[in-house]
Amino acid sequence: MYMDFGDTAFERMKIQPQIVSGGKRLGELQMIILILSIAIMLGVLAVCSKYSFKHKIESEMSSIHDKQTAEETKIISRRDLSGLPDPVVRWLESSGIINTPVPRMVLIRQTGRLRLKPEQKRWMHFRAHQVVGCISPSFSWCVETKLNPLFRIFGRDFFSDEKAALEMRLNSVFPVAKKEGCKYLHKSALQRFMMEMIWYPAFALDPRIEWEPINASKAKAILQCNSLRGEVVFEVDANGDLIKCFAERYYSSGSRPRKYCCVGAVLNTEILNDLRIPTEVEITWKLDEGNFNWFKCSVDSVTYL
């Protein structure tokens, strides 16, 4: 009897670790399943979010296209330049727009470098494409910036119907910046549209623009777009090439936005798609603490539609 009891107790002692070990393995399996489930859910969420962001950009570009309607295509003549300030006439003649049609839309592809803050030392490379509406002033700018091998920032800068929106996402999924519905943002976007007229010079002849001469090399463009008003100064050299353009725009660094001078300096000018336009540009903010050169781009291609 003693030996039978001892044998039974001994067998129990051998079986107990197996039960504990089996329970441990079961817990590990459940944890693995949970982690895999979470990973799959996050992956699905990322794919859906990325698709939604891409679809938003495509919808905005499509909406710009749909609003660029005109009864007929106008061919620019030399007579259209009469009455403009001398610097503007030199610029438009040098650009080669005479005897070309007024575009309804412009497609621009860019590459370059940018910084997000004045204290940021490292420049980030980017590539971007932009759709511009010239009948109804508008643009949609889509940018991709590489932070490192794992992370990229995808962004959109949109302006249409006198409304602007800005959004940046990490890997197209996680929001890192978003602004919309701000009056200062709407006005700043209109002025950006006007400054980028250097890439679609035919818009300088738009009847909604009022030109004011300043001196032999400078002239101011004033555009009243319903409730928004934009003013940009263009500087042109003796040969008709643009030197720079600048405007008082709103700059925000986390606090309340303030107006600062924003300068677009032309570094190089070439002929692209039969027009002579700036192909290398850098943008600088004239801040209280000093100049913040934040954006340098090259225009890789431009298409006028």
Side-chain angles (χ1 to χ4, degrees):
M1 177 70 77
Y2 177 80
M3 291 300 298
D4 290 343
F5 178 78
D7 290 342
T8 304
F10 184 72
E11 292 300 324
R12 287 200 196 103
M13 291 175 65
K14 291 194 294 182
I15 294 172
Q16 187 66 25
Q18 295 177 2
I19 295 175
V20 173
S21 177
K24 184 178 180 180
R25 286 196 297 270
L26 180 60
E28 291 175 348
L29 180 60
Q30 291 175 333
M31 181 60 68
I32 291 173
I33 294 174
L34 178 61
I35 293 173
L36 288 175
S37 299
I38 294 174
I40 292 173
M41 291 176 62
L42 290 175
V44 171
L45 177 62
V47 171
C48 292
S49 181
K50 186 174 183 178
Y51 173 80
S52 175
F53 190 56
K54 181 180 179 182
H55 179 69
K56 178 186 291 187
I57 293 172
E58 291 175 347
S59 296
E60 290 173 345
M61 290 184 173
S62 179
S63 70
I64 289 176
H65 173 272
D66 293 342
K67 293 174 183 176
Q68 310 311 311
T69 57
E71 292 182 0
E72 59 182 16
T73 300
K74 175 179 172 56
I75 304 298
I76 299 172
S77 70
R78 194 170 298 277
R79 291 192 302 271
D80 294 320
L81 277 59
S82 63
L84 296 176
D86 289 344
V88 181
V89 173
R90 289 200 309 275
W91 164 36
L92 297 183
E93 287 181 340
S94 175
S95 71
I97 65 169
I98 306 298
N99 296 324
T100 66
V102 175
R104 303 183 184 189
M105 292 181 60
V106 184
L107 310 180
I108 305 171
R109 291 193 177 274
Q110 306 166 331
T111 53
R113 300 181 298 160
L114 59 80
R115 297 186 299 164
L116 301 178
K117 298 179 180 180
E119 62 270 18
Q120 182 177 333
K121 302 297 182 183
R122 187 176 67 89
W123 289 81
M124 299 182 296
H125 292 273
F126 78 86
R127 60 179 181 177
H129 63 271
Q130 179 169 331
V131 173
V132 180
C134 298
I135 305 300
S136 175
S138 51
F139 64 78
S140 177
W141 186 67
C142 177
V143 64
E144 176 185 351
T145 300
K146 186 176 181 180
L147 296 178
N148 55 51
L150 293 178
F151 298 105
R152 299 171 184 264
I153 288 181
F154 294 83
R156 53 179 275 270
D157 197 354
F158 177 71
F159 174 69
S160 181
D161 296 327
E162 296 85 54
K163 297 291 189 296
L166 172 68
E167 186 176 7
M168 299 289 174
R169 292 190 185 186
L170 183 64
N171 288 353
S172 296
V173 179
F174 307 103
V176 294
K178 186 175 183 179
K179 295 180 182 179
E180 59 184 355
C182 309
K183 188 174 182 179
Y184 77 86
L185 190 66
H186 306 330
K187 182 171 183 178
S188 190
L190 175 63
Q191 288 175 303
R192 169 181 169 167
F193 171 87
M194 295 177 65
M195 292 178 72
E196 293 181 350
M197 188 163 50
I198 61 176
W199 293 317
Y200 34 96
F203 192 79
L205 298 172
D206 192 285
R208 290 166 291 187
I209 290 185
E210 176 186 349
W211 285 98
E212 291 185 356
I214 297 177
N215 55 34
S217 62
K218 297 177 184 176
K220 179 191 290 185
I222 302 171
L223 174 59
Q224 187 71 44
C225 197
N226 294 329
S227 62
L228 296 180
R229 177 185 172 93
E231 298 183 4
V232 177
V233 175
F234 294 84
E235 184 173 353
V236 184
D237 68 15
N239 297 319
D241 286 340
L242 284 161
I243 299 173
K244 63 183 176 182
C245 59
F246 54 91
E248 295 291 319
R249 299 178 62 201
Y250 285 97
Y251 175 83
S252 176
S253 59
S255 58
R256 185 175 180 179
R258 290 177 53 192
K259 279 187 177 181
Y260 291 98
C261 182
C262 180
V263 181
V266 177
L267 305 181
N268 189 46
T269 301
E270 296 178 11
I271 295 178
L272 276 184
N273 205 354
D274 298 327
L275 292 187
R276 184 171 174 80
I277 61 173
T279 53
E280 293 183 26
V281 176
E282 66 176 15
I283 309 297
T284 301
W285 288 96
K286 303 284 188 178
L287 305 179
D288 293 336
E289 58 270 27
N291 292 344
F292 173 33
N293 178 224
W294 81 278
F295 184 88
K296 299 180 180 182
C297 83
S298 296
V299 176
D300 300 323
S301 68
V302 58
T303 304
Y304 302 100
L305 303 175

